[in-house]
mmCIF file of all heavy atoms in Angstrom:
data_model
loop_
_atom_site.group_PDB
_atom_site.id
_atom_site.type_symbol
_atom_site.label_atom_id
_atom_site.label_comp_id
_atom_site.label_asym_id
_atom_site.label_seq_id
_atom_site.Cartn_x
_atom_site.Cartn_y
_atom_site.Cartn_z
ATOM 1 N N PRO A 67 -16.452 11.936 -23.029
ATOM 2 C CA PRO A 67 -17.822 11.645 -23.486
ATOM 3 C C PRO A 67 -17.830 10.848 -24.789
ATOM 4 O O PRO A 67 -17.060 11.148 -25.702
ATOM 5 C CB PRO A 67 -18.431 13.035 -23.681
ATOM 6 C CG PRO A 67 -17.672 13.909 -22.730
ATOM 7 C CD PRO A 67 -16.273 13.352 -22.670
ATOM 8 N N SER A 98 -13.820 -11.801 -21.478
ATOM 9 C CA SER A 98 -13.871 -12.739 -20.360
ATOM 10 C C SER A 98 -13.321 -14.100 -20.774
ATOM 11 O O SER A 98 -12.839 -14.267 -21.897
ATOM 12 C CB SER A 98 -15.306 -12.854 -19.857
ATOM 13 O OG SER A 98 -15.306 -13.480 -18.594
ATOM 14 N N GLY A 114 -26.349 -4.304 -22.174
ATOM 15 C CA GLY A 114 -25.817 -3.569 -23.320
ATOM 16 C C GLY A 114 -24.340 -3.743 -23.617
ATOM 17 O O GLY A 114 -23.812 -3.098 -24.531
ATOM 18 N N PRO A 121 -10.027 -18.238 -24.217
ATOM 19 C CA PRO A 121 -9.740 -19.490 -23.498
ATOM 20 C C PRO A 121 -9.113 -19.211 -22.121
ATOM 21 O O PRO A 121 -8.344 -18.261 -21.971
ATOM 22 C CB PRO A 121 -8.740 -20.209 -24.409
ATOM 23 C CG PRO A 121 -8.183 -19.159 -25.307
ATOM 24 C CD PRO A 121 -9.195 -18.065 -25.417
ATOM 25 N N ASP A 123 -7.321 -21.619 -20.217
ATOM 26 C CA ASP A 123 -6.089 -22.355 -19.926
ATOM 27 C C ASP A 123 -4.925 -21.970 -20.833
ATOM 28 O O ASP A 123 -4.292 -22.824 -21.448
ATOM 29 C CB ASP A 123 -6.362 -23.864 -19.995
ATOM 30 C CG ASP A 123 -7.389 -24.253 -18.939
ATOM 31 O OD1 ASP A 123 -7.492 -23.525 -17.936
ATOM 32 O OD2 ASP A 123 -8.086 -25.255 -19.142
ATOM 33 N N ASP A 128 0.101 -15.027 -23.217
ATOM 34 C CA ASP A 128 -0.326 -15.576 -24.512
ATOM 35 C C ASP A 128 -1.265 -14.566 -25.172
ATOM 36 O O ASP A 128 -2.146 -14.014 -24.510
ATOM 37 C CB ASP A 128 -1.065 -16.900 -24.255
ATOM 38 C CG ASP A 128 -1.430 -17.630 -25.537
ATOM 39 O OD1 ASP A 128 -2.153 -17.042 -26.391
ATOM 40 O OD2 ASP A 128 -1.001 -18.777 -25.687
ATOM 41 N N ASN A 150 -8.341 -1.926 -16.859
ATOM 42 C CA ASN A 150 -7.319 -2.706 -16.136
ATOM 43 C C ASN A 150 -7.490 -2.705 -14.625
ATOM 44 O O ASN A 150 -6.701 -2.132 -13.868
ATOM 45 C CB ASN A 150 -5.904 -2.236 -16.512
ATOM 46 C CG ASN A 150 -4.853 -3.210 -15.989
ATOM 47 O OD1 ASN A 150 -5.202 -4.266 -15.458
ATOM 48 N ND2 ASN A 150 -3.598 -2.848 -16.152
ATOM 49 N N LEU A 159 -8.864 2.207 -4.074
ATOM 50 C CA LEU A 159 -9.374 3.462 -3.501
ATOM 51 C C LEU A 159 -10.869 3.382 -3.169
ATOM 52 O O LEU A 159 -11.323 3.886 -2.138
ATOM 53 C CB LEU A 159 -9.115 4.609 -4.493
ATOM 54 C CG LEU A 159 -9.477 6.014 -4.032
ATOM 55 C CD1 LEU A 159 -8.598 6.448 -2.853
ATOM 56 C CD2 LEU A 159 -9.343 7.023 -5.188
ATOM 57 N N GLY A 185 -8.914 -11.517 -5.443
ATOM 58 C CA GLY A 185 -8.758 -11.662 -6.895
ATOM 59 C C GLY A 185 -7.828 -10.573 -7.400
ATOM 60 O O GLY A 185 -6.617 -10.737 -7.424
ATOM 61 N N TYR A 212 -6.565 -23.264 -4.402
ATOM 62 C CA TYR A 212 -5.500 -24.143 -4.890
ATOM 63 C C TYR A 212 -5.427 -23.924 -6.397
ATOM 64 O O TYR A 212 -6.462 -23.964 -7.074
ATOM 65 C CB TYR A 212 -5.817 -25.602 -4.543
ATOM 66 C CG TYR A 212 -5.685 -25.868 -3.053
ATOM 67 C CD1 TYR A 212 -6.779 -25.694 -2.198
ATOM 68 C CD2 TYR A 212 -4.465 -26.233 -2.510
ATOM 69 C CE1 TYR A 212 -6.655 -25.903 -0.824
ATOM 70 C CE2 TYR A 212 -4.318 -26.437 -1.138
ATOM 71 C CZ TYR A 212 -5.423 -26.270 -0.313
ATOM 72 O OH TYR A 212 -5.290 -26.460 1.046
ATOM 73 N N GLU A 256 -5.217 -18.109 3.344
ATOM 74 C CA GLU A 256 -5.706 -19.462 3.599
ATOM 75 C C GLU A 256 -6.295 -19.994 2.297
ATOM 76 O O GLU A 256 -7.069 -19.295 1.641
ATOM 77 C CB GLU A 256 -6.785 -19.404 4.704
ATOM 78 C CG GLU A 256 -7.412 -20.721 5.053
ATOM 79 C CD GLU A 256 -6.503 -21.608 5.922
ATOM 80 O OE1 GLU A 256 -5.392 -21.177 6.291
ATOM 81 O OE2 GLU A 256 -6.920 -22.744 6.201
ATOM 82 N N GLN A 291 -11.897 -22.757 8.731
ATOM 83 C CA GLN A 291 -10.598 -23.445 8.822
ATOM 84 C C GLN A 291 -9.660 -22.756 9.820
ATOM 85 O O GLN A 291 -8.783 -23.372 10.389
ATOM 86 C CB GLN A 291 -9.932 -23.492 7.440
ATOM 87 C CG GLN A 291 -10.577 -24.488 6.496
ATOM 88 C CD GLN A 291 -10.065 -24.443 5.060
ATOM 89 O OE1 GLN A 291 -10.710 -24.944 4.165
ATOM 90 N NE2 GLN A 291 -8.922 -23.826 4.808
ATOM 91 N N LYS A 293 -10.599 -21.291 12.614
ATOM 92 C CA LYS A 293 -11.379 -21.023 13.840
ATOM 93 C C LYS A 293 -10.548 -21.038 15.126
ATOM 94 O O LYS A 293 -10.881 -20.353 16.081
ATOM 95 C CB LYS A 293 -12.557 -21.985 13.949
ATOM 96 C CG LYS A 293 -12.160 -23.425 14.161
ATOM 97 C CD LYS A 293 -13.384 -24.309 14.210
ATOM 98 C CE LYS A 293 -12.896 -25.752 14.321
ATOM 99 N NZ LYS A 293 -13.928 -26.711 14.117
ATOM 100 N N LEU A 306 -18.919 -11.055 1.543
ATOM 101 C CA LEU A 306 -19.524 -11.917 0.516
ATOM 102 C C LEU A 306 -19.674 -11.097 -0.764
ATOM 103 O O LEU A 306 -20.447 -10.141 -0.811
ATOM 104 C CB LEU A 306 -20.875 -12.438 1.002
ATOM 105 C CG LEU A 306 -20.854 -13.113 2.384
ATOM 106 C CD1 LEU A 306 -22.233 -13.679 2.721
ATOM 107 C CD2 LEU A 306 -19.803 -14.216 2.466
#
Side-chain angles (χ1 to χ4, degrees):
S98 195
D123 298 335
D128 186 302
N150 191 6
L159 185 65
Y212 289 89
E256 178 76 2
Q291 286 173 198
K293 67 182 176 191
L306 308 184

